[in-house]
Amino acid sequence: RVLPQMTITKAEVDVEGEDNICKDDIARVTVFLRRENVAEGEAAGSAHTPLFPSAAVAEAWWLSFALAGKIGRTRVIRVTNPAREFTVQIKFRVPSIGKTRYTVSMACEAYAGLDIQASFAFDAQRAEANRAGDDGSGEEGGGEDE
C-alpha cells in the first residue's frame, strides 16, 4: 500500500449554465480521480521517501489536458488532494464543431513510472443565432451597423 494507484474513473465536459457545448464556448473538463490503494474514508499520506532529508514530501500529481491534434494548448495543473476520491476541473475554449477528442494524463511527482492516461470525446454544436446578449436583430435588420 506504499505506492499510489491512481485511476481516472471518468471525465466530463460541460459549459456552466448551458445545456449544450458550442464552438468558442469556455468549457470545463471535470476529471474524476480515485486512489485504489486508499481505503474508503481514509486519505493518502506523504510519499515514501527514505533518502530525502524531510519526512513530509507531499504526494503530488501533474494533470494535463490536451485536445487531439494541434487545435489547442495543453493545460496542466498540479494536484495535491490526499482524498481517496476527488475531482479536478480545467477550463478551455471549445475549438471546433463536431466530435472533439481529448486526452487526460496524470504523472506522479514523487514516484517515477506511475503515469496514467485516458482518452475521451465530446460533441460541440454550432452556436445558436439568438444566444444571450444578442439584440435579436439577426439578419433581418439590414445587416451592417448604421
Side-chain angles (χ1 to χ4, degrees):
R1 289 178 44 134
V2 173
L3 288 178
Q5 297 174 358
M6 188 73 76
T7 302
I8 300 170
T9 56
K10 66 179 176 176
E12 298 174 346
V13 173
D14 68 335
V15 176
E16 189 173 353
E18 295 185 21
D19 295 332
N20 299 323
I21 301 168
C22 298
K23 183 181 184 296
D24 293 328
D25 278 346
I26 301 299
R28 65 182 172 199
V29 59
T30 303
V31 182
F32 296 81
L33 301 161
R34 181 175 50 237
R35 297 175 194 276
E36 301 294 344
N37 64 311
V38 176
E40 191 72 37
E42 292 183 2
S46 298
H48 179 71
T49 56
L51 300 178
F52 281 85
S54 171
V57 176
E59 181 188 298
W61 293 80
W62 289 92
L63 184 137
S64 68
F65 166 80
L67 295 167
K70 297 181 181 180
I71 57 177
R73 288 186 266 160
T74 299
R75 309 261 186 305
V76 180
I77 187 170
R78 187 172 187 257
V79 181
T80 57
N81 189 330
R84 181 176 193 268
E85 295 182 321
F86 60 98
T87 61
V88 178
Q89 292 185 340
I90 297 178
K91 292 186 177 183
F92 67 99
R93 182 177 301 278
V94 177
S96 61
I97 298 169
K99 188 172 190 173
T100 302
R101 296 186 186 281
Y102 64 95
T103 303
V104 175
S105 304
M106 296 281 294
C108 187
E109 188 176 271
Y111 301 102
L114 298 182
D115 303 353
I116 56 174
Q117 182 174 326
S119 296
F120 302 94
F122 66 92
D123 287 317
Q125 302 174 354
R126 183 177 314 276
E128 298 173 11
N130 268 340
R131 293 185 76 171
D134 287 350
D135 62 2
S137 61
E139 298 175 1
E140 298 174 5
E144 297 290 323
D145 291 335
E146 297 175 14

